[in-house]
């Protein structure tokens, strides 16, 4: 790229602190930010930002959500989780990341609804999905929502076991992760965490395309593909036009769930 890139970590507020900085920067290609599904939830919940307040430059990877329980748990699949939950409403808890309306929370609501549950399992938000997984390993919660890359080491050791995944098929790195759809449930397998790049509103599409060309070049390299495989991430590159369409479709799905949850009008 012929440029020095400085990384500034603006954590907090499901992306709100980052957006406060990004939206005030010049739209000349000198600044860009990372983005996930949780940003969209924050946009819709707070009303402080809109989808068109930024340019959706490119999507990089997608990461399916899964549910894990302790390795010695009596629960082996979603049906058994639902049975245990309905037998003891409020007795079980799920460790997650973010508040209501965050990407992981909506993934849980999709699974919960499909299994016929309705709030019997308490949602416990942590600062990160990794913290939630640690909480389940420590016996503080009964279930955790996570990703392949953050759980496969513990699944391989037997400390955790997967009871299902929001995906069309089991990942190669975790063949024990049986899709909820293969367990007989109607779920939205397209609802997955994603990671991509956004830029200040008004950044010319030519600049977006140029930046994303560099990104794709790196992502297509053998070393990066190895990194994705080792991390349990799925290659999901999309350029500006396709990523913008994808993000807006995600926003529609999030808005539906926020309305259901009584968070949005």
């Amino acid at each position: 790229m012929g440029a020095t890139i400085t990384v500034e970590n603006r954590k907090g507020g499901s992306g709100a602190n980052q957006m406060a900085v990004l939206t005030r920067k010049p739209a000349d290609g000198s600044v860009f930010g990372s983005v996930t599904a949780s940003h969209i939830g924050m946009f819709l919940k707070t009303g402080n930002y809109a989808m068109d307040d930024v340019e959706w430059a490119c999507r990089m990877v997608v990461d399916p959500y899964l549910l894990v329980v302790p390795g010695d748990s009596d629960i082996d699949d979603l049906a058994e989780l639902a049975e245990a939950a309905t037998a003891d409403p409020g007795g079980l808890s799920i460790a997650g990341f973010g508040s209501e309306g965050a990407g992981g929370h909506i993934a849980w609501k999709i699974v919960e609804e499909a299994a016929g549950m309705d709030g019997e399992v308490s949602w416990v938000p942590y600062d990160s999905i990794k913290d939630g997984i640690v909480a389940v390993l420590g016996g503080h919660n009964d279930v955790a929502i996570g990703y392949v890359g953050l759980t496969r080491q513990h699944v391989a050791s037997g400390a955790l076991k997967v009871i299902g995944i929001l995906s069309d098929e089991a990942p190669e790195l975790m063949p024990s992760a049986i899709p909820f759809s293969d367990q007989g449930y109607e779920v939205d397998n397209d609802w997955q965490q994603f990671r991509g790049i956004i830029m200040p509103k008004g950044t010319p599409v030519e600049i977006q395309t140029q930046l994303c060309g560099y990104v794709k070049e790196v992502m297509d390299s053998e070393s990066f593909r190895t990194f994705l495989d080792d991390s349990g991430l799925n290659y999901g590159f999309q350029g500006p036009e396709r990523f913008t369409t994808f993000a807006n479709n995600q926003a529609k799905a999030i808005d539906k769930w926020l309305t259901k949850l009584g968070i949005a009008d």
Side-chain angles (χ1 to χ4, degrees):
M1 295 177 65
T4 299
I5 298 177
T6 302
V7 178
E8 296 184 14
N9 185 19
R10 301 280 182 169
K11 65 180 182 179
S14 295
N17 293 341
Q18 175 214 42
M19 286 290 294
V21 175
L22 185 68
T23 54
R24 291 178 171 84
K25 295 295 183 178
D28 58 5
S30 62
V31 179
F32 55 90
S34 62
V35 67
T36 71
S38 294
H39 283 70
I40 301 177
M42 179 272 292
F43 292 179
L44 298 175
K45 282 176 62 179
T46 66
N48 293 333
Y49 301 99
M51 294 295 291
D52 60 2
D53 282 343
V54 294
E55 304 295 343
W56 299 81
C58 53
R59 191 183 76 175
M60 298 174 66
V61 298
V62 290
D63 205 356
Y65 292 101
L66 52 76
L67 295 182
V68 290
V69 296
D72 59 359
S73 172
D74 293 333
I75 297 170
D76 292 320
D77 55 30
L78 183 55
E80 292 182 358
L81 173 62
E83 182 180 358
T86 53
D88 183 21
L92 300 179
S93 63
I94 177 169
F97 165 61
S99 60
E100 290 188 348
H105 181 250
I106 289 178
W108 164 243
K109 299 305 289 187
I110 289 171
V111 173
E112 179 190 53
E113 181 181 70
M117 294 181 280
D118 185 19
E120 292 89 349
V121 181
S122 302
W123 174 263
V124 181
Y126 287 86
D127 290 336
S128 71
I129 282 186
K130 183 177 180 179
D131 289 339
I133 292 168
V134 170
V136 169
L137 288 167
H140 303 292
N141 301 105
D142 306 285
V143 192
I145 191 159
Y147 309 122
V148 173
L150 290 176
T151 58
R152 65 174 179 149
Q153 174 185 350
H154 303 298
V155 171
S157 71
L160 295 175
K161 60 183 174 181
V162 189
I163 62 172
I165 188 169
L166 273 175
S167 178
D168 290 327
E169 57 186 15
E172 290 185 12
L173 292 174
M174 195 178 283
S176 63
I178 307 302
F180 296 116
S181 51
D182 286 355
Q183 297 180 39
Y185 296 97
E186 293 186 11
V187 292
D188 181 5
N189 285 331
D190 290 331
W191 184 257
Q192 299 185 3
Q193 180 61 284
F194 67 86
R195 294 169 178 81
I197 292 175
I198 50 177
M199 304 182 79
K201 182 176 182 178
T203 301
V205 68
E206 294 82 7
I207 292 178
Q208 298 178 52
T209 301
Q210 182 181 24
L211 172 65
C212 293
Y214 291 127
V215 171
K216 189 175 188 301
E217 183 178 343
V218 172
M219 291 187 65
D220 287 342
S221 67
E222 183 177 348
S223 60
F224 197 86
R225 290 301 186 106
T226 299
F227 163 75
L228 291 181
D229 290 342
D230 291 344
S231 303
L233 297 171
N234 296 318
Y235 181 96
F237 181 85
Q238 291 180 337
E241 183 176 354
R242 291 183 62 201
F243 187 35
T244 299
T245 298
F246 169 86
N248 283 316
N249 287 338
Q250 291 279 300
K252 291 176 183 177
I254 293 175
D255 186 55
K256 181 189 86 169
W257 277 101
L258 293 182
T259 300
K260 275 189 174 185
L261 294 169
I263 301 173
D265 295 330

